[in-house]
Amino acid sequence: MTRTRSRLLGIVLLLIAAASYLHRNCDTPPAWAALRARVQTARPGELLTGYPELATLDGRALPPVHTQDAAIPFLFSDSPEYLYADAQDTGLAYMRVTRDALFRAQPDRRRSFGVGLYHINKVADPETRQGKPVAISLVVRAVSAVEEGAHTFRNTHPATVRLLKGAAGESDVMPMFAGKACAQAWFTRPNIPPTTITLRPGEAKAIYTRTLPPDVCLSAMLDLEATNAYFLKVYVVFGTVKHYDTIAFAPYGLTIGTNAGTGPYWKRILRPADGTRPFDPADTRHRNKVHLRFVKMPPEVQYLVDETWELRLENEGKKLVRRKGGQRRPFKGDYNVDYTVVIPIRASRAPADFALVAVQRFGLFAGAMRAATGTMVDIPAGPTAQLRTGPEGVLLERVRITTTAPTAYRFHWLLPGGSYGDQAFLLIPLGAAE
């Protein structure tokens, strides 16, 4: 009798599991139908709330892979994130543009590099205790000589440094909104004008300077290139530095912002792993709910190497940074790095539509993307709107695939400073185009 009951219980449980599977993957659950109907009328950038389907990572997950076309040096500066009086007239971040001897042998050869900034001015006048505006500058220096082991190489050529593209955002409301404003400018009208400087051996010049008001956050990203790059050094400076041979660097702060350093990944690509089954926008079943998640897990996690590590004072902030990896530590979000996101699309017999929706898996997000059409879309729309975890998302674009051959859908996205790098791009099939 006991065995019979056990068998009956097992059969019942199996039937329940089978029914649940069929309901979720072969039927059209009401919540799935409601979401599909909503995204067909929503506006790009619109925040969609109260949809349970947006809160779960079911359906199919595309395995994410981070790649790039070429390694490009990138300096990111956000440590200390909050700049107090002890950071004034110091360096915040530093990198040597390249150590590749090819650029010494060919001084006219151009080297591309990028810089990202994320800092908040907290300097106050010691007497009045009122906030004090202080300039943040990106300074490029052409050194007179470089020592490599037992060899000394003399710099005998000028260097030309070009700021090709730059965008910046500021906020005194919430630092995350400075990052959003930076992303919006980057994808529409970059608001840091291009400029060119020429450096003789031994010279240092600022190629970008912004006087930051008190209690304001600055988020910026700059795309640059230079000749004679073997002899170039780049500094992010707060205030005024008179002698770069004896530059002091600000002590580390006690915030989560511990990302200052250099890495080789200024422009990156996020795509599914090779061999992943392409997305089929014509298949509207729930089983074809598809996610591509931006998640920083090994081996894709990137690292920054802080070339100022030995020059920073030992303090509680440095102890915190040491626990997070010390001189070489994870770049927890790829802040202010331009990503090309690539989605492989399956061949179809007829045109089909799908919706692209951003959902947040941890923390808050405010930023932007540039759709395949070239249109910039806020994530989400509104000057102080935020995307949170839970049953909500942001419609980024409705896409019509007209080719009947396999193709790829591409868009640009970046994670701005102040937001969290745990976002998923949800692909919602809408079926045959009407």
Side-chain angles (χ1 to χ4, degrees):
M1 185 66 69
T2 303
R3 287 185 179 179
T4 301
R5 288 179 178 175
S6 297
R7 287 176 182 173
L8 288 173
L9 180 59
I11 292 171
V12 170
L13 292 175
L14 183 61
L15 289 173
I16 292 173
S20 176
Y21 176 84
L22 290 171
H23 176 67
R24 298 295 292 171
N25 293 282
C26 298
D27 271 353
T28 302
W32 176 238
L35 177 60
R36 290 182 59 249
R38 182 68 185 90
V39 297
Q40 294 192 63
T41 60
R43 298 180 304 274
E46 185 173 345
L47 185 64
L48 313 173
T49 60
Y51 291 90
E53 284 289 342
L54 296 174
T56 55
L57 276 174
D58 54 1
R60 184 163 69 101
L62 305 181
V65 175
H66 296 243
T67 63
Q68 59 185 8
D69 290 329
I72 302 173
F74 172 59
L75 175 66
F76 188 70
S77 178
D78 85 334
S79 187
E81 181 179 353
Y82 291 87
L83 302 173
Y84 290 95
D86 58 357
Q88 191 169 350
D89 300 331
T90 69
L92 306 178
Y94 156 79
M95 78 169 174
R96 185 173 161 193
V97 174
T98 183
R99 291 173 170 79
D100 188 341
L102 176 65
F103 292 91
R104 185 183 73 241
Q106 300 177 21
D108 292 333
R109 190 181 185 92
R110 296 179 180 181
R111 187 57 170 123
S112 299
F113 63 100
V115 176
L117 310 174
Y118 185 75
H119 291 287
I120 304 161
N121 180 13
K122 301 297 290 184
V123 175
D125 185 284
E127 296 182 0
T128 65
R129 297 187 180 181
Q130 296 296 312
K132 178 180 177 182
V134 182
I136 291 183
S137 302
L138 177 64
V139 176
V140 186
R141 178 189 179 203
V143 297
S144 300
V146 169
E147 294 184 2
E148 297 285 2
H151 300 280
T152 299
F153 299 102
R154 301 291 176 185
N155 185 3
T156 58
H157 295 81
T160 300
V161 185
R162 295 181 175 87
L163 197 169
L164 304 174
K165 177 181 179 181
E170 296 181 6
S171 177
D172 61 357
V173 176
M174 190 173 184
M176 179 172 62
F177 296 137
K180 181 176 184 177
C182 176
Q184 291 168 326
W186 182 260
F187 287 138
T188 53
R189 295 181 180 85
N191 53 6
I192 299 176
T195 189
T196 300
I197 59 174
T198 300
L199 299 169
R200 297 188 301 270
E203 279 192 311
K205 295 180 181 179
I207 197 167
Y208 168 68
T209 297
R210 170 62 183 158
T211 299
L212 192 60
D215 297 314
V216 168
C217 176
L218 171 69
S219 179
M221 51 196 299
L222 305 100
D223 205 349
L224 307 105
E225 68 172 19
T227 62
N228 204 21
Y230 183 82
F231 292 96
L232 290 185
K233 296 183 176 182
V234 178
Y235 303 82
V236 178
V237 172
F238 188 55
T240 302
V241 171
K242 295 181 179 179
H243 303 293
Y244 283 89
D245 283 327
T246 56
I247 183 174
F249 284 87
Y252 290 115
L254 280 170
T255 68
I256 195 171
T258 56
N259 287 327
T262 306
Y265 35 85
W266 173 219
K267 302 289 176 66
R268 300 193 64 78
I269 301 168
L270 176 66
R271 65 189 312 153
D274 290 343
T276 300
R277 176 162 51 92
F279 172 64
D280 182 1
D283 181 359
T284 60
R285 290 175 294 180
H286 185 269
R287 63 184 295 176
N288 198 37
K289 176 185 179 183
V290 174
H291 299 262
L292 177 65
R293 193 174 183 184
F294 180 88
V295 59
K296 301 310 297 293
M297 297 291 289
E300 279 74 34
V301 66
Q302 309 304 323
Y303 289 85
L304 294 178
V305 176
D306 190 349
E307 298 183 47
T308 72
W309 177 256
E310 298 297 336
L311 303 175
R312 305 264 189 168
L313 296 174
E314 188 67 42
N315 66 348
E316 291 302 313
K318 193 166 187 177
K319 292 179 182 178
L320 173 64
V321 176
R322 186 176 283 110
R323 291 198 299 270
K324 293 176 177 287
Q327 183 175 15
R328 180 180 182 270
R329 50 193 184 269
F331 190 23
K332 66 177 180 292
D334 270 5
Y335 288 148
N336 291 14
V337 175
D338 189 333
Y339 266 85
T340 300
V341 184
V342 181
I343 309 291
I345 304 294
R346 182 181 175 182
S348 178
R349 294 181 179 179
D353 297 339
F354 72 91
L356 174 69
V357 173
V359 293
Q360 191 68 15
R361 296 304 171 198
F362 176 77
L364 302 173
F365 188 91
M369 59 85 77
R370 189 175 71 216
T373 58
T375 303
M376 189 274 294
V377 179
D378 291 344
I379 312 176
T384 58
Q386 305 164 38
L387 175 61
R388 300 176 175 85
T389 57
E392 64 180 50
V394 175
L395 176 68
L396 303 183
E397 189 178 13
R398 273 187 302 273
V399 182
R400 174 158 296 178
I401 302 298
T402 58
T403 178
T404 57
T407 187
Y409 166 72
R410 290 176 170 83
F411 63 95
H412 281 268
W413 174 84
L414 64 89
L415 171 68
S419 291
Y420 285 87
D422 197 353
Q423 192 159 100
F425 301 106
L426 172 60
L427 308 176
I428 302 175
L430 300 178
E434 298 180 358

